Amino acid sequence: EDQVTQSPEALRLQEGESSSLNCSYTVSGLRGLFWYRQDPGKGPEFLFTLYSAGEEKEKERLKATLTKKESFLHITAPKPEDSATYLCAVQAGETSGSRLTFGEGTQLTVNP
Amino acid sequence: NAGVTQTPKFQVLKTGQSMTLQCAQDMNHEYMSWYRQDPGMGLRLIHYSVGAGITDQGEVPNGYNVSRSTTEDFPLRLLSAAPSQTSVYFCASSRSGLQPQHFGDGTRLSIL
């Protein structure tokens, strides 16, 4: 059974204090790993897709990396508007029609 | 603005009542899916569709029905509401593959 574990559950940072969120996974045949951002009362917003170990993607202050067992979402010099819950999901299997398994998320708070 | 639209945003039902959660997208996406989000759990797939006239079950399909008569619309029906179906429901779409690209803002459903 595919499993996704995100840590920490919650993280408080000061503005400008860089840190990383972790997503560890156990799947048979990773097809893709996905990061989403979710603001309170809203649906998740797609951020990144990573397909193979060693791959990195960047968007503004966010950088996602992938190894064979985990993914990190690095946040550099965060701002209060980066406060949100960050979700990780993995897709295993041979086709793009395979289901995703989501983690529970990391709730990030950035204080000014 | 283009995207996924869900209605209603909030709903309270009594046990045994039925209702339909509406979802519409205007991006001509083939893949649409329904998820539920519960505290302490990751998003879980209820049903999905890979195109008009084609639907399939996800991880937690019991108590729900779907149909896809057009590319744009993908309603979710609760047949006989139960308190265990109290949740936040998200509809999602993607151009190709089951990995969601766009989510609606959710329907918050309470079953008394």
Side-chain angles (χ1 to χ4, degrees):
Chain A
E1 181 178 329
D2 300 340
Q3 290 189 334
V4 177
T5 303
Q6 292 189 244
S7 61
E9 290 184 12
L11 180 63
R12 285 187 175 273
L13 299 173
Q14 288 299 119
E15 185 172 1
E17 179 186 3
S18 301
S19 187
S20 296
L21 313 181
N22 178 264
C23 172
S24 63
Y25 61 90
T26 305
V27 298
S28 177
L30 180 71
R31 183 173 177 84
L33 185 141
F34 310 91
W35 282 99
Y36 296 86
R37 169 195 170 120
Q38 185 173 22
D39 293 304
K42 299 290 187 180
E45 173 189 346
F46 171 75
L47 291 174
F48 303 110
T49 304
L50 302 168
Y51 293 106
S52 58
E55 188 174 1
E56 298 182 352
K57 293 277 181 70
E58 287 190 65
K59 180 180 180 180
E60 296 180 354
R61 295 176 292 282
L62 301 177
K63 183 169 80 172
T65 62
L66 181 65
T67 73
K68 289 186 177 181
K69 294 183 178 181
E70 57 193 348
S71 176
F72 292 94
L73 185 64
H74 307 277
I75 303 176
T76 302
K79 298 182 178 182
E81 53 262 42
D82 294 321
S83 297
T85 296
Y86 291 85
L87 306 176
C88 168
V90 297
Q91 185 180 38
E94 297 181 353
T95 72
S96 60
S98 301
R99 302 172 190 172
L100 273 69
T101 300
F102 280 83
E104 295 179 30
T106 293
Q107 185 175 359
L108 174 67
T109 303
V110 182
N111 296 315
Chain B
N1 291 336
V4 178
T5 303
Q6 290 185 238
T7 56
K9 294 188 182 302
F10 302 93
Q11 185 70 49
V12 179
L13 293 178
K14 294 182 179 179
T15 298
Q17 288 184 316
S18 63
M19 80 159 293
T20 299
L21 280 63
Q22 302 292 343
C23 175
Q25 54 94 5
D26 57 2
M27 297 168 285
N28 202 33
H29 284 173
E30 290 297 324
Y31 284 77
M32 296 187 73
S33 49
W34 277 101
Y35 288 86
R36 60 178 290 173
Q37 187 173 42
D38 300 293
M41 305 188 74
L43 285 159
R44 292 182 292 169
L45 181 65
I46 304 171
H47 284 285
Y48 65 97
S49 169
V50 300
I54 307 170
T55 63
D56 206 347
Q57 296 181 351
E59 180 184 357
V60 287
N62 292 340
Y64 308 95
N65 273 357
V66 292
S67 60
R68 185 99 178 267
S69 57
T70 67
T71 299
E72 294 78 21
D73 299 303
F74 190 43
L76 177 72
R77 297 182 187 84
L78 277 70
L79 308 174
S80 178
S84 61
Q85 293 178 305
T86 293
S87 187
V88 182
Y89 291 85
F90 289 101
C91 179
S93 74
S94 59
R95 184 177 61 252
S96 61
L98 203 54
Q99 61 275 17
Q101 290 178 296
H102 298 274
F103 280 89
D105 281 341
T107 294
R108 284 140 189 86
L109 183 62
S110 293
I111 315 295
L112 305 178

